[in-house]
Amino acid sequence: MATKNTVAVLGPGGTGGLLAALLSRSGHRVICLAQDRTAETLRRTGITVRSSQFGDFTVRVEADTELREPVDACLIAVKHTALDAALTRVPPAALGDALAVPLLNGVEHPARLRARYRPDRVAPAVIRVESARVAPGVIEHGSPFTEVDLAGDGVPGARLDALAADLTAAGATARVAADETAALWAKMAFLAPFALLTTRYGLPLGEARSRHREELESLVAETTAVSRACGAPADPVQALARYDAFPPGAKSSMQRDAEAGRPLELDAIGGALLRAAGRHGVPAPVTARLVGELQAAGH
């Protein structure tokens, strides 16, 4: 690849840190945006990745607390619960013409980003990966895959194609999805039942899908119905087959956050699903009950 780009990464945690390291190793200039202490650590030690897919390696990255110069793209890899505070690190004037690429769960964040940045430069992405930050600048990547779907209504196709090519050359499997709504809801339709059920009962997926089978089937039916109402195809039979094929020890990121005492993305996942259900008149009683029970438990 002849052209090397400058990419900012807002939130160099499990997902952002992995992509930052892969892009840096591939020869791109990477600027990680984080809190003072994390930025100082990254400047001093770089990012270390431990991965069965990519091997173990350490790369240098730049780091700052705020974007202060032009970049080609900014990957936004923070949790929904930290999004508003994190975006103060990326002033709209500094981002300018760059792509803003959110890698967040849920379906409502693109509208928030388009209200802040150039709407035709907001390129929502979906990433499938299991990766965790175990310390500042130390990433453990556990899945044998790192897959990214890029989308963006109104974003120039050439910009999306170029970023997908850069990510693929760096080691991920990246493609451009034709339909932003379909891409976001494809992940939401899988994530919402998985996250709500495993977090509500504190069980890995294998136990949750067998001990609470009826609830899982109801959640899948509700979620796929909402997805279809929003204009995204969804097949409940296919969705259940995916859950059954998943490793039994798998835990959702929401469940891991609950176990660690971190804020949950409950509103971005369960809340957004219920709001979409309400807009389209789709009944979602089991989703509503589980969201309510998690809220009552202090989440």
Side-chain angles (χ1 to χ4, degrees):
M1 185 176 57
T3 304
K4 299 300 181 181
N5 294 316
T6 300
V7 179
V9 177
L10 177 63
T15 297
L18 176 64
L19 294 179
L22 291 174
L23 287 167
S24 177
R25 186 173 70 164
S26 187
H28 298 283
R29 181 183 175 215
V30 175
I31 306 171
C32 293
L33 304 173
Q35 296 179 359
D36 280 310
R37 185 176 299 178
T38 298
E40 182 183 343
T41 299
L42 295 178
R43 284 193 292 266
R44 188 174 65 252
T45 66
I47 297 177
T48 295
V49 173
R50 303 169 187 154
S51 168
S52 57
Q53 182 184 10
F54 302 116
D56 297 354
F57 65 95
T58 299
V59 292
R60 308 295 300 181
V61 294
E62 298 176 43
D64 205 337
T65 57
E66 183 178 313
L67 183 63
R68 306 176 197 277
E69 60 185 282
V71 295
D72 295 288
C74 178
L75 307 184
I76 301 171
V78 296
K79 295 270 190 178
H80 253 284
T81 50
L83 181 60
D84 288 340
L87 289 179
T88 63
R89 303 188 188 282
V90 186
L95 189 66
D97 184 58
L99 293 183
V101 186
L103 295 146
L104 279 73
N105 293 325
V107 294
E108 296 178 337
H109 57 275
R112 291 166 64 183
L113 291 168
R114 288 186 172 119
R116 178 176 174 83
Y117 304 114
R118 278 189 59 170
D120 60 346
R121 294 296 183 268
V122 175
V126 171
I127 186 165
R128 290 175 292 276
V129 69
E130 185 178 333
S131 186
R133 186 191 88 152
V134 296
V138 182
I139 308 298
E140 287 192 352
H141 170 226
S143 58
F145 52 82
T146 304
E147 300 169 349
V148 182
D149 292 344
L150 292 167
D153 295 344
V155 178
R159 298 283 296 271
L160 295 175
D161 290 339
L163 180 57
D166 288 346
L167 289 169
T168 298
T173 301
R175 69 182 188 96
V176 177
D179 187 322
E180 176 182 318
T181 299
L184 291 173
W185 273 100
K187 181 168 185 178
M188 181 73 149
F190 178 80
L191 178 64
F194 179 30
L196 294 174
L197 199 67
T198 57
T199 308
R200 168 63 182 85
Y201 294 109
L203 295 171
L205 181 57
E207 289 183 69
R209 71 190 174 204
S210 58
R211 290 167 57 178
H212 301 279
R213 185 71 181 186
E214 188 174 330
E215 281 176 280
L216 176 60
E217 291 175 354
S218 296
L219 285 169
V220 169
E222 292 174 6
T223 306
T224 53
V226 175
S227 178
R228 286 196 297 266
C230 291
D235 180 350
V237 175
Q238 194 175 59
L240 277 171
R242 283 187 67 197
Y243 292 117
D244 288 336
F246 232 61
K251 294 183 177 183
S252 66
S253 59
M254 185 187 289
Q255 181 184 1
R256 293 185 187 279
D257 286 340
E259 291 172 348
R262 294 188 291 262
L264 303 191
E265 293 184 305
L266 185 60
D267 184 66
I269 298 171
L273 180 59
L274 291 175
R275 286 188 286 275
R279 285 195 302 273
H280 294 281
V282 177
V286 176
T287 301
R289 177 175 60 78
L290 290 183
V291 169
E293 289 172 354
L294 286 166
Q295 290 171 333
H299 302 303

